[in-house]
mmCIF file with all atom_site columns, all heavy atoms in Angstrom:
data_model
loop_
_atom_site.group_PDB
_atom_site.id
_atom_site.type_symbol
_atom_site.label_atom_id
_atom_site.label_alt_id
_atom_site.label_comp_id
_atom_site.label_asym_id
_atom_site.label_entity_id
_atom_site.label_seq_id
_atom_site.pdbx_PDB_ins_code
_atom_site.Cartn_x
_atom_site.Cartn_y
_atom_site.Cartn_z
_atom_site.occupancy
_atom_site.B_iso_or_equiv
_atom_site.pdbx_formal_charge
_atom_site.auth_seq_id
_atom_site.auth_comp_id
_atom_site.auth_asym_id
_atom_site.auth_atom_id
_atom_site.pdbx_PDB_model_num
ATOM 1  N N   . LYS V 1 365 ? 81.734 129.822 81.346 1.00 40.00 ? 365 LYS V N   1
ATOM 2  C CA  . LYS V 1 365 ? 80.750 129.455 80.331 1.00 40.00 ? 365 LYS V CA  1
ATOM 3  C C   . LYS V 1 365 ? 80.512 127.956 80.385 1.00 40.00 ? 365 LYS V C   1
ATOM 4  O O   . LYS V 1 365 ? 79.388 127.501 80.277 1.00 40.00 ? 365 LYS V O   1
ATOM 5  C CB  . LYS V 1 365 ? 81.168 129.906 78.948 1.00 40.00 ? 365 LYS V CB  1
ATOM 6  C CG  . LYS V 1 365 ? 81.336 131.408 78.819 1.00 40.00 ? 365 LYS V CG  1
ATOM 7  C CD  . LYS V 1 365 ? 81.907 131.733 77.438 1.00 40.00 ? 365 LYS V CD  1
ATOM 8  C CE  . LYS V 1 365 ? 82.111 133.244 77.319 1.00 40.00 ? 365 LYS V CE  1
ATOM 9  N NZ  . LYS V 1 365 ? 82.713 133.602 75.958 1.00 40.00 ? 365 LYS V NZ  1
ATOM 10 N N   . ALA V 1 366 ? 81.583 127.225 80.454 1.00 38.00 ? 366 ALA V N   1
ATOM 11 C CA  . ALA V 1 366 ? 81.478 125.748 80.432 1.00 38.00 ? 366 ALA V CA  1
ATOM 12 C C   . ALA V 1 366 ? 80.755 125.221 81.627 1.00 38.00 ? 366 ALA V C   1
ATOM 13 O O   . ALA V 1 366 ? 80.057 124.204 81.564 1.00 38.00 ? 366 ALA V O   1
ATOM 14 C CB  . ALA V 1 366 ? 82.868 125.149 80.349 1.00 38.00 ? 366 ALA V CB  1
ATOM 15 N N   . SER V 1 367 ? 80.796 125.926 82.735 1.00 36.00 ? 367 SER V N   1
ATOM 16 C CA  . SER V 1 367 ? 80.174 125.445 84.004 1.00 36.00 ? 367 SER V CA  1
ATOM 17 C C   . SER V 1 367 ? 78.653 125.429 83.882 1.00 36.00 ? 367 SER V C   1
ATOM 18 O O   . SER V 1 367 ? 78.011 124.779 84.659 1.00 36.00 ? 367 SER V O   1
ATOM 19 C CB  . SER V 1 367 ? 80.623 126.265 85.139 1.00 36.00 ? 367 SER V CB  1
ATOM 20 O OG  . SER V 1 367 ? 80.262 127.616 85.041 1.00 36.00 ? 367 SER V OG  1
ATOM 21 N N   . THR V 1 368 ? 78.090 126.211 82.908 1.00 35.00 ? 368 THR V N   1
ATOM 22 C CA  . THR V 1 368 ? 76.641 126.261 82.763 1.00 35.00 ? 368 THR V CA  1
ATOM 23 C C   . THR V 1 368 ? 76.131 125.190 81.842 1.00 35.00 ? 368 THR V C   1
ATOM 24 O O   . THR V 1 368 ? 74.939 124.980 81.671 1.00 35.00 ? 368 THR V O   1
ATOM 25 C CB  . THR V 1 368 ? 76.202 127.630 82.217 1.00 35.00 ? 368 THR V CB  1
ATOM 26 O OG1 . THR V 1 368 ? 76.822 127.810 80.946 1.00 35.00 ? 368 THR V OG1 1
ATOM 27 C CG2 . THR V 1 368 ? 76.660 128.732 83.136 1.00 35.00 ? 368 THR V CG2 1
ATOM 28 N N   . SER V 1 369 ? 77.076 124.477 81.161 1.00 35.00 ? 369 SER V N   1
ATOM 29 C CA  . SER V 1 369 ? 76.691 123.433 80.276 1.00 35.00 ? 369 SER V CA  1
ATOM 30 C C   . SER V 1 369 ? 76.063 122.259 80.972 1.00 35.00 ? 369 SER V C   1
ATOM 31 O O   . SER V 1 369 ? 76.488 121.928 82.074 1.00 35.00 ? 369 SER V O   1
ATOM 32 C CB  . SER V 1 369 ? 77.902 122.978 79.431 1.00 35.00 ? 369 SER V CB  1
ATOM 33 O OG  . SER V 1 369 ? 77.568 121.857 78.649 1.00 35.00 ? 369 SER V OG  1
ATOM 34 N N   . GLU V 1 370 ? 75.094 121.544 80.383 1.00 35.00 ? 370 GLU V N   1
ATOM 35 C CA  . GLU V 1 370 ? 74.548 120.422 80.976 1.00 35.00 ? 370 GLU V CA  1
ATOM 36 C C   . GLU V 1 370 ? 75.230 119.134 80.595 1.00 35.00 ? 370 GLU V C   1
ATOM 37 O O   . GLU V 1 370 ? 74.806 118.053 80.980 1.00 35.00 ? 370 GLU V O   1
ATOM 38 C CB  . GLU V 1 370 ? 73.034 120.333 80.530 1.00 35.00 ? 370 GLU V CB  1
ATOM 39 C CG  . GLU V 1 370 ? 72.219 121.511 81.072 1.00 35.00 ? 370 GLU V CG  1
ATOM 40 C CD  . GLU V 1 370 ? 70.730 121.361 80.702 1.00 35.00 ? 370 GLU V CD  1
ATOM 41 O OE1 . GLU V 1 370 ? 70.415 120.400 79.983 1.00 35.00 ? 370 GLU V OE1 1
ATOM 42 O OE2 . GLU V 1 370 ? 69.958 122.241 81.078 1.00 35.00 ? 370 GLU V OE2 1
ATOM 43 N N   . ASP V 1 371 ? 76.256 119.235 79.796 1.00 39.00 ? 371 ASP V N   1
ATOM 44 C CA  . ASP V 1 371 ? 77.033 118.026 79.328 1.00 39.00 ? 371 ASP V CA  1
ATOM 45 C C   . ASP V 1 371 ? 77.758 117.489 80.519 1.00 39.00 ? 371 ASP V C   1
ATOM 46 O O   . ASP V 1 371 ? 78.333 118.209 81.321 1.00 39.00 ? 371 ASP V O   1
ATOM 47 C CB  . ASP V 1 371 ? 78.028 118.374 78.217 1.00 39.00 ? 371 ASP V CB  1
ATOM 48 C CG  . ASP V 1 371 ? 77.338 118.874 76.989 1.00 39.00 ? 371 ASP V CG  1
ATOM 49 O OD1 . ASP V 1 371 ? 76.256 118.247 76.668 1.00 39.00 ? 371 ASP V OD1 1
ATOM 50 O OD2 . ASP V 1 371 ? 77.810 119.799 76.300 1.00 39.00 ? 371 ASP V OD2 1
ATOM 51 N N   . SER V 1 372 ? 77.737 116.170 80.672 1.00 38.00 ? 372 SER V N   1
ATOM 52 C CA  . SER V 1 372 ? 78.496 115.548 81.802 1.00 38.00 ? 372 SER V CA  1
ATOM 53 C C   . SER V 1 372 ? 79.129 114.266 81.304 1.00 38.00 ? 372 SER V C   1
ATOM 54 O O   . SER V 1 372 ? 78.922 113.174 81.858 1.00 38.00 ? 372 SER V O   1
ATOM 55 C CB  . SER V 1 372 ? 77.511 115.226 82.929 1.00 38.00 ? 372 SER V CB  1
ATOM 56 O OG  . SER V 1 372 ? 76.456 114.396 82.495 1.00 38.00 ? 372 SER V OG  1
ATOM 57 N N   . GLU V 1 373 ? 79.936 114.354 80.266 1.00 40.00 ? 373 GLU V N   1
ATOM 58 C CA  . GLU V 1 373 ? 80.574 113.157 79.665 1.00 40.00 ? 373 GLU V CA  1
ATOM 59 C C   . GLU V 1 373 ? 81.416 112.466 80.683 1.00 40.00 ? 373 GLU V C   1
ATOM 60 O O   . GLU V 1 373 ? 81.381 111.210 80.798 1.00 40.00 ? 373 GLU V O   1
ATOM 61 C CB  . GLU V 1 373 ? 81.393 113.601 78.452 1.00 40.00 ? 373 GLU V CB  1
ATOM 62 C CG  . GLU V 1 373 ? 82.409 112.595 77.929 1.00 40.00 ? 373 GLU V CG  1
ATOM 63 C CD  . GLU V 1 373 ? 81.769 111.373 77.366 1.00 40.00 ? 373 GLU V CD  1
ATOM 64 O OE1 . GLU V 1 373 ? 80.540 111.459 77.086 1.00 40.00 ? 373 GLU V OE1 1
ATOM 65 O OE2 . GLU V 1 373 ? 82.437 110.337 77.208 1.00 40.00 ? 373 GLU V OE2 1
ATOM 66 N N   . ASP V 1 374 ? 82.183 113.223 81.449 1.00 42.00 ? 374 ASP V N   1
ATOM 67 C CA  . ASP V 1 374 ? 83.115 112.543 82.361 1.00 42.00 ? 374 ASP V CA  1
ATOM 68 C C   . ASP V 1 374 ? 83.521 113.508 83.465 1.00 42.00 ? 374 ASP V C   1
ATOM 69 O O   . ASP V 1 374 ? 84.609 114.090 83.443 1.00 42.00 ? 374 ASP V O   1
ATOM 70 C CB  . ASP V 1 374 ? 84.307 112.008 81.617 1.00 42.00 ? 374 ASP V CB  1
ATOM 71 C CG  . ASP V 1 374 ? 85.060 111.005 82.446 1.00 42.00 ? 374 ASP V CG  1
ATOM 72 O OD1 . ASP V 1 374 ? 84.781 110.920 83.645 1.00 42.00 ? 374 ASP V OD1 1
ATOM 73 O OD2 . ASP V 1 374 ? 85.921 110.264 81.874 1.00 42.00 ? 374 ASP V OD2 1
ATOM 74 N N   . GLN V 1 375 ? 82.703 113.763 84.424 1.00 40.00 ? 375 GLN V N   1
ATOM 75 C CA  . GLN V 1 375 ? 82.952 114.779 85.462 1.00 40.00 ? 375 GLN V CA  1
ATOM 76 C C   . GLN V 1 375 ? 84.191 114.403 86.252 1.00 40.00 ? 375 GLN V C   1
ATOM 77 O O   . GLN V 1 375 ? 84.872 115.318 86.689 1.00 40.00 ? 375 GLN V O   1
ATOM 78 C CB  . GLN V 1 375 ? 81.729 114.944 86.396 1.00 40.00 ? 375 GLN V CB  1
ATOM 79 C CG  . GLN V 1 375 ? 80.561 115.530 85.706 1.00 40.00 ? 375 GLN V CG  1
ATOM 80 C CD  . GLN V 1 375 ? 80.798 116.999 85.287 1.00 40.00 ? 375 GLN V CD  1
ATOM 81 O OE1 . GLN V 1 375 ? 81.555 117.713 85.908 1.00 40.00 ? 375 GLN V OE1 1
ATOM 82 N NE2 . GLN V 1 375 ? 80.213 117.424 84.182 1.00 40.00 ? 375 GLN V NE2 1
#
Side-chain angles (χ1 to χ4, degrees):
K365 298 176 183 177
S367 61
T368 61
S369 172
E370 295 181 358
D371 297 321
S372 59
E373 165 66 15
D374 196 346
Q375 290 296 327

